[in-house]
Amino acid sequence: MNANMQDMKDVVYSSRVRLARNVRGLPFPHRLHGEEEIYKMMQKVKEACDKVVATDFYQMRGFDPIEAQVLVEKHLVSPQLTQECPYGVAFVSKDETISVMLNEEDHIRQQCIVEGMGLDRAYESLSQIDREIAKTLPIAYSPEWGYLTACPTNLGAAMRASAMVFLPALTMTGVINSFIRKYQENGITTRGVYGEGSQAEGYLYQISNQAAIGMSEREILDRMNLVVSKLVEAERIARQNIAKHEGIKLKDKIMRAYGTMLYAYKMSSQELMELSALVKLGVCLQYLDCDLSKLNRLIVESQPATLCKLTGKNLNVAERDVARASIVRKKLN
């Protein structure tokens, strides 16, 4: 990866690669029964993971709902795994960059998330685990269709490469809609922070490839790298344009947002997303001197379940708003 690809943290929040795999001869998870077969698969996957990285084990059946939601808020497991999968389990690396879900839509779903622009790094890390899993379990694969998956759109490489991108200027100017339409026509999908059906809160969008049939892993990565680099370029140009034309009005809005984050006594999740987005834009435009990584971490640390875990209390909505504002003040002051 060249230096330009690495230096995109002002736009690229994180990069993720996900691989879907199924065990040959076993019914897909929605038709899978028999705990002996499930247990054997779980043991084999654990053995494979242990050869590459140390992990924590989470079993969804009987799992504390708050703890499960914390994993969702961190994007380590899907909401579906915690709510609809009686045999669902997850192995999560100690540094929380890699997670392997079992018995969600497919038998095995592996993912790696890295900070900033790093699709190639994420794929390389995940490939190590994928190779080990293939050594211990017979993976369902067709010479004609590629990896066999529960959903036909994942056939082929069975890989999704995605980037979480911060696009305030393109959104404010309305240009983002033309990008979304253009990418959709070319097999690229755009979603909100928490995937399909979610909203692009805080000007955060998840950009990913759609069908992988007929494309190799390298082709998917190259295509996504190109798409994201073009988005980064467009967003940076749009930022300079709005700074030039909005001037004092934009700077005042950003500084007011920063002041609210520094001193507010209560703050909702939505308000935090809106305020932090403006503050991050202010940092990118050099109006403010603040750590972007710290601001990004605040978003996760201030989610409802994570707040309850941090405080050790089952907080109601009003109590969470007060606790959220307190955490924001402490982190920024």
Side-chain angles (χ1 to χ4, degrees), residues 167-201:
L167 306 175
L170 289 177
T171 305
M172 289 176 181
T173 56
V175 180
I176 187 63
N177 295 323
S178 63
F179 275 93
I180 291 173
R181 286 194 297 271
K182 176 184 174 182
Y183 290 147
Q184 191 169 15
E185 292 169 359
N186 291 279
I188 303 294
T189 188
T190 306
R191 298 187 174 104
V193 179
Y194 286 97
E196 190 170 0
S198 63
Q199 299 298 311
E201 296 179 0

Side-chain angles (χ1 to χ4, degrees), residues 119-129 131 218:
L119 289 173
D120 291 320
R121 283 186 290 127
Y123 177 68
E124 287 165 10
S125 296
L126 212 54
S127 293
Q128 298 178 54
I129 292 179
R131 285 193 292 269
R218 185 68 263 162

Side-chain angles (χ1 to χ4, degrees), residues 227-248:
V227 166
V228 174
S229 65
K230 286 185 177 298
L231 265 179
V232 169
E233 182 181 6
E235 171 62 24
R236 286 173 173 171
I237 292 172
R239 288 177 188 178
Q240 294 306 315
N241 287 337
I242 62 170
K244 180 179 179 180
H245 293 103
E246 295 291 327
I248 294 174

Side-chain angles (χ1 to χ4, degrees), residues 28 40 47 67 81 93 106 108 110 123 132 151 179 194 231 263 296:
F28 288 126
K40 286 180 181 178
E47 290 172 15
E67 294 283 352
L81 186 77
S93 65
D106 294 289
I108 305 165
Q110 314 159 56
Y123 177 68
E132 292 300 330
C151 180
F179 275 93
Y194 286 97
L231 265 179
Y263 298 108
N296 289 333

Side-chain angles (χ1 to χ4, degrees), residues 84-285:
E84 303 171 18
C85 305
Y87 299 109
V89 302
F91 298 98
V92 179
S93 65
K94 300 292 184 180
D95 64 0
E96 297 187 338
T97 59
I98 291 174
S99 65
V100 181
M101 296 184 292
L102 303 189
N103 302 315
E104 193 229 35
E105 185 174 84
D106 294 289
H107 292 143
I108 305 165
R109 284 203 166 186
Q110 314 159 56
Q111 73 165 28
C112 179
I113 301 177
V114 297
E115 187 176 346
M117 185 57 186
L119 289 173
D120 291 320
R121 283 186 290 127
Y123 177 68
E124 287 165 10
S125 296
L126 212 54
S127 293
Q128 298 178 54
I129 292 179
D130 192 48
R131 285 193 292 269
E132 292 300 330
I133 289 175
K135 291 177 185 177
T136 61
L137 286 167
I139 300 300
Y141 183 86
S142 162
E144 181 180 3
W145 297 104
Y147 290 102
L148 303 181
T149 54
C151 180
T153 60
N154 290 324
L155 288 169
M159 183 174 102
R160 286 289 174 95
S162 63
M164 192 75 74
V165 288
F166 176 55
L167 306 175
L170 289 177
T171 305
M172 289 176 181
T173 56
V175 180
I176 187 63
N177 295 323
S178 63
F179 275 93
I180 291 173
R181 286 194 297 271
K182 176 184 174 182
Y183 290 147
Q184 191 169 15
E185 292 169 359
N186 291 279
I188 303 294
T189 188
T190 306
R191 298 187 174 104
V193 179
Y194 286 97
E196 190 170 0
S198 63
Q199 299 298 311
E201 296 179 0
Y203 306 123
L204 285 171
Y205 299 82
Q206 189 181 126
I207 311 295
S208 66
N209 67 296
Q210 289 180 327
I213 299 175
M215 296 181 70
S216 68
E217 290 87 345
R218 185 68 263 162
E219 287 171 328
I220 293 170
L221 290 170
D222 288 345
R223 187 175 192 184
M224 286 303 301
N225 281 329
L226 180 61
V227 166
V228 174
S229 65
K230 286 185 177 298
L231 265 179
V232 169
E233 182 181 6
E235 171 62 24
R236 286 173 173 171
I237 292 172
R239 288 177 188 178
Q240 294 306 315
N241 287 337
I242 62 170
K244 180 179 179 180
H245 293 103
E246 295 291 327
I248 294 174
K249 182 179 178 182
L250 176 63
K251 189 169 185 178
D252 180 66
K253 189 175 182 180
I254 288 170
M255 301 307 288
R256 285 174 183 272
Y258 187 51
T260 300
M261 290 184 72
L262 284 173
Y263 298 108
Y265 182 73
K266 67 182 184 69
M267 190 180 300
S268 68
S269 293
Q270 183 177 351
E271 186 179 15
L272 174 61
M273 291 293 285
E274 293 170 353
L275 294 172
S276 63
L278 287 169
V279 171
K280 284 192 290 182
L281 178 58
V283 173
C284 295
L285 293 173

Side-chain angles (χ1 to χ4, degrees), residues 43-60:
Q43 287 297 106
K44 294 290 186 182
V45 173
K46 183 181 186 306
E47 290 172 15
C49 289
D50 287 346
K51 291 179 180 178
V52 179
V53 63
T55 61
D56 291 316
F57 170 73
Y58 301 96
Q59 185 166 4
M60 295 302 112

